[in-house]
């Protein structure tokens, strides 16, 4: 008797190591999930966006694709914000959804995904609904290959609910997939010569180095050249240790200011980042006079849309390894590199004092850093406090800091669940701490339930300023007075945490913060710490 499409597909997923599924089940997905195999794990979330965020964090922390199952067009629509983030994070995800039975698709019944290939675009690399049920296993194999091949990213499959019980044509075909692309030898030799002959060059590193586990290579190239290292604007993962003597900081997130930062150099090479991320608009030239820009990326579209620079398509870490071999060593610098105290942040910490006994953001974050293990993994989604976070918490270890590349709120809370799950699965068991603003916290608060159900000892810290401070900052910068809806009164973070099964605590002193840190990581389950802080409107740039 022929095996069913379901049986053959689960055999393929098993061969590919995709035995953990993140999801929120719906009626059109139950035929896929029925008789769920005992060697698979279903990580349930209460919202599809949380499923995608958790899968993204898990895939990044394991460096392996992850599988997500959402509910037809409704669930896919719910998940789009975090699919956007996964696309910009370059995270290999296979996002699947059911659809109505093929017999009814023509009349578009309730809960039909009418144009399944179109809905998730442009934020997936490939989107497909198989023409026939027999093609489902092969479609999964193609989805896996497309998600992994550079530049990595999410893909989408829509599968009508009546496909799963139909007979398969045979055993699934499992293929290996290349995940790195090498450089044109002549072109990279030219880049190496340019670096070697420049009078005052600099390195600009991007998150692709961190994704490729390339800190060691990044350090070797910087030390051989003995030149400053900048993090590309708005890097979602740090590409270089911030305590290294050659580290200068993060480049500004605005055109004119970035150009000024590079004014003293005659050559800059960007490795593993776009040229460049800008927001907000600050007038100026793309590059200062006299600066030559080189750009290495594994994404042809990223290379094509760069407004300036000479591009080379290559995996970031392979490029580093080749450049290390080919560049000429430079003597040690006579003077040390001038460092930004706020490191990767686009703006410095606010200069404020405590009001009415409330802590400042900087006091809170300094205490968190002092009170947690050195190996702690930090996840951040508190846009108005970036200067304070990065001032207080230098990132000196690889894979110890994560944030979202898209700017779309609601990723970091569920992503911290996936990251903590990966820490447990891998046996690393590093503590996980997520700093999430009281406004950002509301976008995916239901992710707390999954953390509680999985008994993950995450410490969620919510600096409670009672406002969308970053939007007030934009309002000041753009001269937009009188904007409504920027205050957040009457939120009770502790009650929300308890409602989802977490330990909820409110701390108002540094000693209370220290006590929570001492207890949180040994607890069987997550802790949510609400800390009222002095409201400030940060400098935007």
């Amino acid at each position: 008797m022929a095996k069913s499409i379901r049986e053959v597909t689960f055999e393929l997923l098993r061969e590919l190591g995709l035995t953990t599924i993140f999801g929120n089940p719906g009626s059109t997905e139950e035929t896929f999930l029925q008789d769920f195999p005992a060697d698979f794990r279903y990580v349930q979330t209460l919202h599809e966006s949380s499923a995608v965020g958790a899968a993204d964090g898990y895939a990044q922390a394991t460096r392996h694709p992850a599988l997500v199952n959402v509910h037809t067009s409704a669930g896919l629509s719910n998940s789009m914000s975090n699919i956007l983030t996964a696309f910009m994070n370059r995270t290999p995800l296979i996002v699947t959804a059911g659809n109505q039975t093929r017999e009814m698709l023509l009349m578009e019944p309730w809960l039909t995904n009418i144009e399944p290939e179109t809905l998730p675009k442009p934020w997936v690399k490939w989107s497909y609904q198989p023409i026939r049920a027999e093609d489902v296993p092969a479609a999964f194999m193609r989805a896996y290959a497309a998600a992994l091949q550079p530049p990595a990213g999410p893909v989408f499959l829509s599968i009508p609910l009546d496909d799963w019980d139909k007979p398969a044509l045979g055993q699934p075909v499992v293929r290996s997939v290349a995940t790195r692309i090498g450089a044109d030898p002549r072109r990279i030799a030219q880049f190496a010569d340019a670096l070697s002959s420049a009078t005052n060059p600099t390195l600009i590193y991007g998150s692709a180095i961190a994704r490729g586990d390339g800190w060691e290579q990044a350090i070797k190239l910087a030390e051989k050249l003995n030149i400053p290292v900048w993090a590309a604007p708005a890097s979602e993962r740090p590409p270089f240790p911030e305590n290294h003597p050659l580290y200068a900081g993060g480049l500004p997130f605005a055109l004119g200011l970035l150009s000024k930062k590079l004014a003293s150099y005659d050559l800059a090479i960007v490795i593993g980042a776009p040229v460049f991320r800008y927001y907000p608009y600050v007038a100026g030239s793309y590059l200062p006079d006299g600066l030559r820009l080189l750009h290495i990326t594994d994404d042809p579209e990223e290379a094509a849309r760069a407004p300036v620079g000479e591009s080379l398509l290559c995996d970031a870490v392979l490029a580093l390894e080749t450049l290390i071999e080919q560049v000429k060593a430079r003597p040690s610098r006579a003077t040390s590199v001038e460092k930004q105290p706020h490191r990767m942040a686009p703006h410095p910490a606010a200069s404020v004092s405590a009001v009415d006994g409330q802590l400042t953001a900087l006091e809170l974050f300094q205490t968190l850093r002092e009170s947690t293990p050195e190996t702690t993994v930090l996840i951040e989604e508190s846009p108005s406090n970036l200067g304070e976070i990065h001032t207080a918490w230098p990132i000196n270890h690889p894979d110890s800091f994560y944030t979202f590349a898209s700017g779309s709120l609601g990723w970091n809370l569920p992503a911290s669940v996936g990251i903590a799950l990966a820490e447990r699965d891998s046996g690393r068991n590093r503590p996980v701490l997520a700093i999430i603003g009281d406004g950002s916290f509301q976008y995916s608060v239901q992710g707390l339930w999954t953390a509680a159900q999985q008994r993950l000892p995450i410490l969620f810290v919510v600096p409670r300023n009672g406002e969308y401070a970053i939007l007030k900052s934009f309002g000041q910068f753009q001269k937009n007075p009188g904007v409504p809806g920027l205050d957040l009164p009457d939120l009770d973070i502790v009650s929300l945490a308890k409602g989802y099964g977490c330990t909820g605590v409110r701390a108002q002193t540094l000693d209370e913060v220290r006590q929570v840190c001492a207890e949180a990581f040994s607890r069987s389950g997550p802790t949510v710490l609400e800390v009222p802080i002095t409201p400030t409107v940060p400098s935007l740039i």
Side-chain angles (χ1 to χ4, degrees):
M1 182 176 178
K3 293 182 178 179
S4 68
I5 297 295
R6 183 189 305 103
E7 290 173 307
V8 169
T9 299
F10 273 100
E11 287 177 11
L12 173 66
L13 295 176
R14 192 176 285 113
E15 288 287 326
L16 296 175
L18 297 172
T19 58
T20 294
I21 301 176
F22 296 84
N24 179 259
S27 56
T28 52
E29 291 69 47
E30 287 184 323
T31 51
F32 166 56
L33 298 172
Q34 74 179 57
D35 299 323
F36 198 66
D39 59 329
F40 277 64
R41 172 175 59 179
Y42 188 82
V43 179
Q44 183 180 353
T45 66
L46 300 182
H47 191 277
E48 289 89 348
S49 187
S50 287
V52 175
D56 188 339
Y58 189 77
Q60 287 200 58
T62 59
R63 289 194 170 89
H64 189 269
L67 182 60
V68 186
N69 186 235
V70 302
H71 180 41
T72 189
S73 53
L76 183 59
S77 297
N78 283 341
S79 66
M80 280 306 298
S81 171
N82 278 339
I83 290 176
L84 154 67
T85 296
F87 183 86
M88 296 191 68
N89 284 350
R90 304 300 192 207
T91 305
L93 298 182
I94 301 173
V95 181
T96 65
N99 206 350
Q100 277 293 358
T101 55
R102 289 184 184 271
E103 285 80 359
M104 294 198 298
L105 285 178
L106 180 62
M107 59 176 147
E108 298 178 6
W110 202 44
L111 290 175
T112 298
N113 196 344
I114 296 171
E115 296 185 25
E117 294 94 342
T118 302
L119 182 56
K121 293 179 179 178
W123 304 117
V124 292
K125 293 181 61 183
W126 183 58
S127 183
Y128 187 64
Q129 179 170 282
I131 301 299
R132 55 181 188 156
E134 291 83 357
D135 293 332
V136 168
F140 268 92
M141 186 64 243
R142 179 172 172 180
Y144 179 85
L148 266 179
Q149 291 177 133
V155 298
F156 174 70
L157 287 178
S158 171
I159 303 159
L161 64 88
D162 57 328
D163 283 2
W164 296 105
D165 285 321
K166 293 179 179 176
L169 295 178
Q171 289 300 110
V173 176
V174 181
R175 299 184 287 117
S176 61
V177 180
T179 59
R180 307 174 78 187
I181 57 173
D184 172 359
R186 177 183 293 184
R187 185 76 158 171
I188 200 162
Q190 292 171 347
F191 280 24
D193 288 343
L195 272 170
S196 298
S197 59
T199 301
N200 191 26
T202 188
L203 296 165
I204 301 172
Y205 285 159
S207 296
I209 292 172
R211 287 193 296 271
D213 196 17
W215 269 34
E216 179 182 350
Q217 294 89 334
I219 293 168
K220 284 183 179 178
L221 179 62
E223 290 180 346
K224 187 171 183 180
L225 290 169
N226 279 301
I227 59 176
V229 173
W230 292 91
S235 292
E236 65 275 12
R237 293 183 62 178
F240 196 76
E242 296 184 332
N243 61 347
H244 194 283
L246 292 173
Y247 182 73
L251 286 171
F253 205 21
L255 190 152
L257 298 178
L258 188 152
S259 182
K260 289 180 181 178
K261 281 284 187 182
L262 299 178
S264 63
Y265 304 109
D266 63 339
L267 183 137
I269 181 166
V270 180
I271 304 177
V275 176
F276 286 108
R277 282 184 182 146
Y278 300 122
Y279 194 65
Y281 176 71
V282 177
S285 59
Y286 287 114
L287 299 175
D289 291 342
L291 177 69
R292 179 185 179 190
L293 185 73
L294 308 178
H295 181 208
I296 298 177
T297 175
D298 66 0
D299 183 354
E301 291 189 7
E302 189 171 89
R305 69 173 172 265
V308 290
E310 304 166 45
S311 64
L312 167 66
L313 287 176
C314 184
D315 174 272
V317 181
L318 287 179
L320 289 170
E321 291 170 350
T322 304
L323 290 172
I324 290 166
E325 294 177 358
Q326 295 190 13
V327 298
K328 296 178 182 176
R330 290 172 178 264
S332 299
R333 298 175 64 87
T335 57
S336 61
V337 173
E338 182 179 351
K339 294 178 177 292
Q340 294 180 164
H342 50 287
R343 300 181 179 90
M344 279 203 308
H347 54 75
S351 178
V352 296
S353 301
V355 176
D356 296 330
Q358 287 186 333
L359 302 177
T360 67
L362 184 59
E363 288 174 329
L364 169 61
F365 302 146
Q366 287 173 333
T367 301
L368 290 172
R369 176 66 289 191
E370 293 163 1
S371 305
T372 52
E374 177 65 20
T375 57
T376 299
V377 179
L378 176 64
I379 298 107
E380 171 276 314
E381 190 176 291
S382 186
S384 60
N385 301 129
L386 292 182
E388 289 81 2
I389 289 173
H390 288 287
T391 298
W393 196 301
I395 309 302
N396 301 327
H397 303 286
D399 300 334
S400 63
F401 177 88
Y402 297 84
T403 191
F404 53 136
S406 65
S408 181
L409 300 176
W411 178 83
N412 291 53
L413 194 156
S416 67
V417 174
I419 291 166
L421 195 62
E423 285 296 317
R424 187 168 70 190
D425 286 357
S426 67
R428 292 187 301 259
N429 290 314
R430 294 179 299 171
V432 174
L433 186 151
I435 297 175
I436 305 176
D438 51 353
S440 299
F441 195 74
Q442 310 311 315
Y443 282 72
S444 54
V445 64
Q446 72 284 121
L448 293 177
W449 181 85
T450 305
Q453 293 298 307
Q454 295 292 326
R455 302 185 184 279
L456 296 169
I458 306 168
L459 174 57
F460 296 99
V461 179
V462 183
R464 178 85 170 91
N465 60 8
E467 61 185 9
Y468 289 127
I470 192 65
L471 294 182
K472 292 185 177 182
S473 178
F474 269 94
Q476 287 186 0
F477 178 80
Q478 298 172 152
K479 298 181 174 57
N480 303 136
V483 176
L486 302 187
D487 293 308
L488 300 172
D490 305 324
L491 285 173
D492 186 345
I493 305 298
V494 172
S495 294
L496 288 171
K498 291 179 178 178
Y500 283 109
C502 303
T503 298
V505 185
R506 183 177 292 109
Q508 295 182 316
T509 70
L510 295 180
D511 282 342
E512 290 172 344
V513 171
R514 294 185 186 101
Q515 183 63 33
V516 172
C517 290
E519 299 170 351
F521 298 127
S522 59
R523 183 172 285 131
S524 178
T527 302
V528 178
L529 171 61
E530 177 187 351
V531 184
I533 61 169
T534 299
T536 61
V537 177
S539 169
L540 191 60
I541 53 178

